Amino acid sequence: MTPDDKAILAASAPWLGALLNVVPGLGSGYIYQRRWRAYWITTALATGWFLLGAVRGGAGTVADPSTADPTDQLIGLGGLLLLAAVTAAEAFRAARKARTE
């Protein structure tokens, strides 16, 4: 008999799920918690943010990164850090909630 998704989530450590979403980044904590839908949503958002930055930066920045605007680089990094922070908080909250129910 396999445990259901809620039991798996309740058995996971909330702090570890949050840490894995921040340190390696981009939803690794969701893999630990076996929350595949949240993982794929996070992956799609990160990929979309990366592609938006690549399109906005133009093809010239790929060939010569020294021509990239530092403001665009900070916006890109800030977006990925925000995504990591939000997913970390959500992973922590979900595991805590599953433990209390």
Side-chain angles (χ1 to χ4, degrees), residues 43-95:
T43 301
L45 287 172
T47 302
W49 188 252
F50 177 77
L51 291 174
L52 181 65
V55 168
R56 184 166 152 46
T61 59
V62 174
D64 185 11
S66 65
T67 62
D69 183 19
T71 304
D72 288 343
Q73 292 177 347
L74 287 176
I75 291 171
L77 179 62
L80 292 178
L81 289 176
L82 179 65
L83 181 63
V86 168
T87 59
E90 195 279 330
F92 184 86
R93 182 203 55 82

Side-chain angles (χ1 to χ4, degrees), residues 20-22 24-31 35-50 79-80 82-88 90-91:
L20 287 172
N21 270 354
V22 173
L26 306 179
S28 300
Y30 291 137
I31 294 173
R35 296 177 57 206
W36 303 111
R37 182 177 304 168
Y39 170 73
W40 287 114
I41 290 170
T42 302
T43 301
L45 287 172
T47 302
W49 188 252
F50 177 77
L80 292 178
L82 179 65
L83 181 63
V86 168
T87 59
E90 195 279 330

